[in-house]
Amino acid sequence: EVASADLSLYSLRKYTPETDTSKSRAARFPLALANTILNRRFEVLSKEEGTAILSGGAGRTVMFNMIEQGGIEVTPAEGKWKEAVPVLEQELRRVVSFGFTQAELEEAKARFLNMAEQAVKRKDTRRSDGIAMGLINAIGQKNVFTTPEDELALAKSALEKLTVEDCHKAFNEFWDTQDLSLVLTTREAPENTKEELKNIFIESAKTELNAPEQKDLATFGYTDFGSAGTVVTTNPVEDLGATQLVLSNNVRVNYKQTDFQKNSIGVTAVFGAGQLSQPADT
């Protein structure tokens, strides 16, 4: 009944709760940034022609204040779980062997800071249930419930002095264990799959790897859209509080402003007739 195959590498260890302080939170940033960079690498690989994976990611989770779990997962492309195993093994080993580039770290830092800054801008329109769950989780885990401003200040302070060496060290210390579980989830389990899975992983470890290429951060490429068009027709929809527009390039726009989420814009684009025109067999 699973929608797609899943390939996971897990590391489990005992977790000893620590007092929640700004220092203990800052200490988690190096591993968090390392996982963010590895996630970005999987994202790039998933978009390559003929790729063996549809997605991938790394993370750390604490369960029941007792267990610390590290995980790296990839979703294989249809029928390609065997090809996906070396992708997982080699990207993990590439990080362990070579670490990260400065450009990768700067991009990851920017992502973290942007999320923290957006949280501050949207704090007045946070959902009540989200705040309630945040309070419940803080109580259950004996943590301090902090404001978005506090979290932004902590992120700025921690990220300012963070280096690629810090992230590399944190990642290697976390994965410095032979106690690993490799799990393949599929719709069917043919005979010898267990041995085949293990053998592919071990064989992949013999492959020589190259260090990640050092690249400069590119300039944002979407700043010039040419001459502005015009609005051809405007149709207010009074009962919905919305407006329908037809633009000079024949694009139709349904526009509605709300106060649900401050400093946020949601966009949905539909091409042609959408799923109505999509052949049933695809």
Side-chain angles (χ1 to χ4, degrees), residues 63 65 69 74 86 133 155 158 191 253:
M63 298 182 289
N65 270 341
Q69 174 183 295
V74 296
M133 286 306 301
E191 288 186 26
V253 178

Side-chain angles (χ1 to χ4, degrees), residues 17-21 25 65 135-145:
E18 56 186 353
T19 303
D20 184 27
T21 65
R25 288 195 190 186
N65 270 341
L135 286 164
I136 291 170
N137 289 336
I139 294 168
Q141 297 171 11
K142 297 183 179 178
N143 288 340
V144 180
F145 184 79

Side-chain angles (χ1 to χ4, degrees), residues 19-71:
T19 303
D20 184 27
T21 65
S22 56
K23 183 178 179 180
S24 65
R25 288 195 190 186
R28 293 197 288 268
F29 270 90
L31 179 60
L33 267 290
N35 286 333
T36 296
I37 296 171
L38 182 52
N39 292 347
R40 177 65 177 144
R41 289 185 183 179
F42 281 130
E43 185 182 347
V44 172
L45 288 171
S46 71
K47 291 177 170 61
E48 291 182 351
E49 183 98 21
T51 180
I53 65 169
L54 301 178
S55 63
R60 166 193 174 271
T61 307
V62 174
M63 298 182 289
F64 315 114
N65 270 341
M66 295 174 61
I67 302 168
E68 185 177 40
Q69 174 183 295

Side-chain angles (χ1 to χ4, degrees), residues 81 184 186 188-199:
W81 72 260
L184 172 66
T186 58
E188 299 176 352
E191 288 186 26
N192 302 322
T193 300
K194 183 176 178 179
E195 284 301 311
E196 193 172 14
L197 175 64
K198 183 174 72 172
N199 291 337

Side-chain angles (χ1 to χ4, degrees), residues 19-201:
T19 303
D20 184 27
T21 65
S22 56
K23 183 178 179 180
S24 65
R25 288 195 190 186
R28 293 197 288 268
F29 270 90
L31 179 60
L33 267 290
N35 286 333
T36 296
I37 296 171
L38 182 52
N39 292 347
R40 177 65 177 144
R41 289 185 183 179
F42 281 130
E43 185 182 347
V44 172
L45 288 171
S46 71
K47 291 177 170 61
E48 291 182 351
E49 183 98 21
T51 180
I53 65 169
L54 301 178
S55 63
R60 166 193 174 271
T61 307
V62 174
M63 298 182 289
F64 315 114
N65 270 341
M66 295 174 61
I67 302 168
E68 185 177 40
Q69 174 183 295
I72 300 178
E73 300 184 6
V74 296
T75 301
E78 186 69 29
K80 289 189 175 181
W81 72 260
K82 295 178 184 179
E83 293 87 341
V85 176
V87 175
L88 187 156
E89 188 279 325
Q90 290 171 26
E91 289 310 312
L92 168 61
R93 190 156 47 92
R94 198 185 314 276
V95 172
V96 170
S97 302
F98 303 109
F100 309 103
T101 69
Q102 189 61 38
E104 287 179 316
L105 178 62
E106 294 305 321
E107 181 183 0
K109 282 184 177 183
R111 286 190 179 204
F112 264 74
L113 278 177
N114 181 56
M115 286 190 295
E117 289 167 352
Q118 294 304 320
V120 171
K121 292 178 180 178
R122 298 174 186 169
K123 66 171 186 171
D124 293 337
T125 51
R126 286 176 292 172
R127 289 175 58 95
S128 298
D129 55 356
I131 297 175
M133 286 306 301
L135 286 164
I136 291 170
N137 289 336
I139 294 168
Q141 297 171 11
K142 297 183 179 178
N143 288 340
V144 180
F145 184 79
T146 46
T147 66
E149 288 89 349
D150 290 333
E151 291 166 9
L152 175 59
L154 178 60
K156 284 183 175 179
S157 173
L159 294 175
E160 184 179 17
K161 43 186 179 281
L162 198 61
T163 66
V164 288
E165 290 77 17
D166 295 331
C167 295
H168 190 197
K169 181 183 178 201
F171 189 89
N172 281 6
E173 287 177 350
F174 191 82
W175 285 96
D176 184 18
T177 175
Q178 294 299 310
D179 187 13
L180 299 173
S181 299
L182 182 62
V183 181
L184 172 66
T185 305
T186 58
R187 296 189 186 97
E188 299 176 352
E191 288 186 26
N192 302 322
T193 300
K194 183 176 178 179
E195 284 301 311
E196 193 172 14
L197 175 64
K198 183 174 72 172
N199 291 337
I200 294 173
F201 190 87

Side-chain angles (χ1 to χ4, degrees), residues 76 93 163 167 185 189 196 204 234-235 256-257 267:
R93 190 156 47 92
T163 66
C167 295
T185 305
E196 193 172 14
S204 173
T234 301
N235 178 34
K256 179 179 174 68
Q257 187 167 2
V267 179

